[in-house]
Amino acid sequence: MFVQTVALKDVKFYAFHGFYPEEQLTGSHFSVDIEVTFIPTGDTEDLKQTVNYEVINTILISAMQKTQKLLETVVKNIIDELIKVYPFIATTTVGIKKIHPPMPGEIGHSFVQLKYTSSK
């Protein structure tokens, strides 16, 4: 049995997520990593038989455009949409980094990640 992985790494966004009102006004730079696994069936040249990373990118763009207070909500929304579009996925891991979060000190990034595992 084969397990296939489709992933996008270090997808850059400028978005307005943040708990504090000023974060939602000024925005921040973000980086998203997403990885999906599934058991391939059928023709490996048929996009209907796989997870299309262009579709994943469209899901990311949509989720990042909808301002949320918490990155946890953004990640959950991404996973929910992935499951809706690709109900056959076995696992997905989504992580979002907020680059240089507005806190005292020199912080490279904050990070939130969720992992989904199918119960099937």
Side-chain angles (χ1 to χ4, degrees):
M1 173 175 59
F2 293 99
V3 175
Q4 186 167 338
T5 300
V6 175
L8 293 175
K9 300 292 184 176
D10 201 23
V11 183
K12 306 281 191 206
F13 293 97
Y14 193 83
F16 298 88
H17 307 298
F19 184 77
Y20 299 103
E22 54 272 12
E23 290 179 287
Q24 294 185 7
L25 290 173
T26 60
S28 295
H29 291 277
F30 296 87
S31 174
V32 180
D33 290 335
I34 184 167
E35 186 171 292
V36 174
T37 67
F38 60 97
I39 298 170
T41 59
D43 183 2
T44 58
E45 291 292 310
D46 183 357
L47 277 178
K48 295 177 194 142
Q49 301 293 323
T50 188
V51 174
N52 183 338
Y53 54 77
E54 289 178 291
V55 173
I56 293 175
N57 192 49
T58 300
I59 291 169
L60 295 180
I61 291 168
S62 177
M64 292 302 288
Q65 288 175 342
K66 295 177 186 147
T67 299
Q68 301 290 336
K69 285 185 177 182
L70 298 178
L71 294 180
E72 289 86 336
T73 304
V74 180
V75 172
K76 175 81 167 54
N77 291 344
I78 292 167
I79 291 173
D80 288 346
E81 188 61 24
L82 275 170
I83 295 166
K84 199 180 322 177
V85 174
Y86 298 112
F88 58 86
I89 62 173
T91 68
T92 185
T93 303
V94 179
I96 299 179
K97 297 174 187 172
K98 181 183 271 190
I99 310 302
H100 305 298
M103 293 187 278
E106 280 191 43
I107 301 170
H109 66 268
S110 56
F111 182 71
V112 171
Q113 178 175 288
L114 286 177
K115 182 171 184 172
Y116 162 84
T117 302
S118 173
S119 58
K120 295 176 189 175

